[in-house]
Amino acid sequence: MGIPTVERSRAVEDYVKAIHAIADDGGDRSVGTTALASHLGVTPASASGMVRKLATLGLASSSPYRGVTLTDDGEGLALSILRRHRLLETFLAQRLGIPWDRVHAEAEVLEHVLSVELEAAIANNLGNPDRDPHGAPIPRSDLTVEEQQTFPLDQLAEGDRVRFVRIPDERPEMLRWLAERGIAPGVEIELKRREPFGGPLTAAINGREHQLGVELAAAIRVEYL
Amino acid sequence: MGIPTVERSRAVEDYVKAIHAIADDGGDRSVGTTALASHLGVTPASASGMVRKLATLGLASSSPYRGVTLTDDGEGLALSILRRHRLLETFLAQRLGIPWDRVHAEAEVLEHVLSVELEAAIANNLGNPDRDPHGAPIPRSDLTVEEQQTFPLDQLAEGDRVRFVRIPDERPEMLRWLAERGIAPGVEIELKRREPFGGPLTAAINGREHQLGVELAAAIRVEYL
DNA sequence: AACAAGAGTTAGGCATGCCATAATCTCATC
DNA sequence: GATGAGATTATGGCATGCCTAACTCTTGTT
Ligand SMILES: [Mn+2]
Ligand SMILES: [Mn+2]
Ligand SMILES: [Mn+2]
Ligand SMILES: [Mn+2]
């Protein structure tokens, strides 16, 4: 633990964030070098080197050939970056009217530069929001996160009625497609039909029917009502 | 001219800004390497090297041993950074309630990272302000700047009545001292007395008399009513 | 139990970027 | 035309982060 006083390079922060992200959706096991590397678009050798560095910085621990795990410090750093990222996205969308498909790219840069004071001011200005524009939970200032069980829309059965919870923020085209149709976290969705063989899903949303491709349906996370 | 599309390092931007700043208050002549170096806290050798680099980037032109001048491109870059800086200061102070003595440090970092879109959104959100919290003019989006003649408060004669126009943003203590007394750009000032030998000035501001040290009085720029 | 394939690591380098010291050079002035 | 302040060059150091090539583990299969 401990308040991050040290200067952390952008690369270090992005690696830590990546390790956190990969571990998180693979159910918390340790992260492989290759997965990490491909996530960041570098070679495994590079990732391996950086992992060693993260270890000396006390951010990760890795037994060679066994994968990486974040230390408590590393986990804290990851969460604090995630907090800044999501607060920024929320602020940009809500206060500056930046479309939700573009806030991610901006936040990706600003997250590495935001001062503690500014982070606090933004959180305060927004009334300490729980979720970012894409429905992702914003880590609280004590770095706890509300966990919630969600399901990908493509696993529903016909007739299921659910609420749209969240969607990844990295795919602008998807976000734009949804925005054009007024589909955003919070709306109710009823699954009408699903075509076999990777066919589209038909869903009723806001009183209209929409055809959702499999990729999209897999990206949309929902909760049961 | 031309829209800055290329990646410019933070150092490059700060050098250009420094050249602009030094040239600007010395009445536009070319800037010496040593002055530039000491302004940035590096050795003349380093500044010399960077100046050569700025020249290859088309941002500055320098005849060796004769000092540096910004090219039109360089001037444009300087002004655009200045615009971002001052928009940021205004935004932070006005929308996020950051005290005016702290906005400078934040802006100093963010100015290098702000996207064009965000700059526009901020300007728009603020209603395209003319001046930052310290009274400095904000370059317009076409990079023109309103020039205005001002005088340092310490050059006034007893009895002069003036308006506080601006104050440098780099000295937090000064700013805090002023803020505590409700003295900010826009207020009227009447010079009551000046003590000789570098003594303080007595000025009536907001219906109260204040003793202003020489340094402070020299930093405060005013216009005649 | 041996082995191959895949995952991971190490070694060696390269590129960028920025700055410093030391030595040298230039130019304006006396 | 000597001098000294200012400027430049030559070298080198350090920090970052990436790559390729070659090697070593680990593990699942046979
Ligand atoms: Mn990032
Ligand atoms: Mn998001
Ligand atoms: Mn700066
Ligand atoms: Mn200012």
Side-chain angles (χ1 to χ4, degrees), chain A residues 6-24:
Chain A
V6 208
E7 275 284 311
R8 251 83 99 145
S9 75
R10 180 171 169 164
V12 165
E13 296 196 341
D14 280 337
Y15 269 93
V16 167
K17 232 177 65 169
I19 294 170
H20 176 84
I22 299 170
D24 229 47

Side-chain angles (χ1 to χ4, degrees), chain A residues 75 96 112 139 147 162 171 185 203-204 206:
Chain A
E75 191 66 23
L96 288 174
H112 305 289
E147 286 307 344
V162 296
R171 318 227 357 213
N206 297 332

Side-chain angles (χ1 to χ4, degrees), chain B:
Chain B
M1 289 222 327
I3 296 95
T5 312
V6 208
E7 276 283 312
R8 250 84 100 146
S9 74
R10 178 169 172 167
V12 165
E13 296 195 341
D14 280 337
Y15 269 94
V16 167
K17 232 177 66 169
I19 295 170
H20 176 85
I22 298 171
D24 229 47
D25 71 34
D28 265 302
R29 63 171 153 284
S30 85
V31 173
T33 304
T34 305
L36 182 56
S38 85
H39 188 286
L40 290 163
V42 299
T43 61
S46 300
S48 202
M50 180 59 91
V51 162
R52 195 181 326 121
K53 178 174 184 175
L54 294 181
T56 76
L57 290 175
L59 297 171
S61 73
S62 71
S63 36
Y65 297 100
R66 283 287 152 67
V68 211
T69 317
L70 292 178
T71 61
D72 285 350
D73 265 18
E75 191 65 24
L77 179 59
L79 287 171
S80 83
I81 300 167
L82 229 39
R83 173 171 164 82
R84 296 200 288 271
H85 182 97
R86 292 175 180 166
L87 280 172
L88 281 163
E89 286 190 346
T90 310
F91 188 81
L92 295 176
Q94 212 157 309
R95 295 286 185 262
L96 288 174
I98 311 270
W100 82 333
D101 60 293
R102 258 173 287 165
V103 293
H104 177 71
E106 301 279 357
E108 199 59 51
V109 178
L110 294 173
E111 64 187 2
H112 305 290
V113 148
L114 203 62
S115 73
V116 186
E117 182 180 16
L118 246 183
E119 174 194 314
I122 288 176
N124 183 61
N125 177 276
L126 293 170
N128 296 298
D130 292 334
R131 304 185 157 271
D132 79 7
H134 316 101
I138 299 175
R140 307 184 183 87
S141 57
D142 64 3
L143 301 185
T144 56
V145 190
E146 175 215 334
E147 285 307 344
Q148 177 188 11
Q149 194 166 11
T150 59
F151 307 87
L153 184 59
D154 68 349
Q155 279 179 17
L156 265 54
E158 291 187 354
D160 282 355
R161 312 192 74 234
V162 296
R163 184 181 308 284
F164 184 177
V165 176
R166 59 183 289 193
I167 174 113
D169 55 7
E170 304 114 11
R171 319 231 350 218
E173 340 78 43
M174 263 190 192
L175 296 176
R176 233 173 298 123
W177 192 93
L178 292 171
E180 282 163 11
R181 289 160 182 77
I183 305 175
V187 301
E188 281 188 28
I189 300 179
E190 181 180 349
L191 185 58
K192 294 293 198 180
R193 274 185 311 285
R194 36 187 325 172
E195 305 300 333
F197 318 125
L201 285 67
T202 306
I205 307 173
N206 296 334
R208 282 246 296 283
E209 293 206 347
H210 298 272
Q211 308 291 327
L212 308 175
V214 274
E215 263 185 74
L216 178 55
I220 293 178
R221 312 283 309 192
V222 301
E223 65 179 351
Y224 285 94
L225 294 176

Side-chain angles (χ1 to χ4, degrees), chain A residues 85-86 89 103-104 132-136 167-169:
Chain A
H85 181 98
R86 291 176 181 167
E89 285 190 348
V103 293
H104 177 72
D132 79 6
H134 316 101
I167 175 112
D169 54 6

Side-chain angles (χ1 to χ4, degrees), chain A residues 44-202:
Chain A
S46 301
S48 200
M50 181 58 92
V51 161
R52 196 180 325 121
K53 178 174 184 174
L54 295 181
T56 76
L57 290 175
L59 297 170
S61 72
S62 72
S63 35
Y65 297 100
R66 282 286 152 67
V68 212
T69 317
L70 292 178
T71 61
D72 286 349
D73 266 18
E75 191 66 23
L77 179 58
L79 288 172
S80 83
I81 301 168
L82 228 40
R83 173 171 165 82
R84 296 200 287 271
H85 181 98
R86 291 176 181 167
L87 280 173
L88 280 163
E89 285 190 348
T90 309
F91 187 81
L92 295 176
Q94 212 158 308
R95 294 287 184 262
L96 288 174
I98 311 271
W100 83 332
D101 59 292
R102 257 173 290 164
V103 293
H104 177 72
E106 301 278 357
E108 200 58 50
V109 178
L110 293 173
E111 63 187 2
H112 305 289
V113 148
L114 202 61
S115 73
V116 185
E117 182 178 15
L118 245 182
E119 174 195 313
I122 289 176
N124 183 60
N125 177 277
L126 293 169
N128 297 297
D130 292 333
R131 304 187 157 270
D132 79 6
H134 316 101
I138 300 176
R140 307 185 184 88
S141 57
D142 64 4
L143 301 185
T144 57
V145 190
E146 175 214 334
E147 286 307 344
Q148 176 187 11
Q149 193 165 10
T150 59
F151 307 86
L153 185 58
D154 68 350
Q155 279 180 17
L156 265 54
E158 291 187 353
D160 282 356
R161 313 193 73 235
V162 296
R163 184 181 309 283
F164 186 177
V165 176
R166 58 183 291 191
I167 175 112
D169 54 6
E170 304 112 11
R171 318 227 357 213
E173 340 77 44
M174 263 190 191
L175 295 176
R176 233 173 297 123
W177 191 92
L178 292 171
E180 281 163 11
R181 289 160 181 78
I183 305 176
V187 302
E188 280 187 30
I189 301 178
E190 180 181 349
L191 185 59
K192 295 293 202 183
R193 272 184 311 284
R194 34 188 326 172
E195 305 300 333
F197 319 125
L201 285 66
T202 306

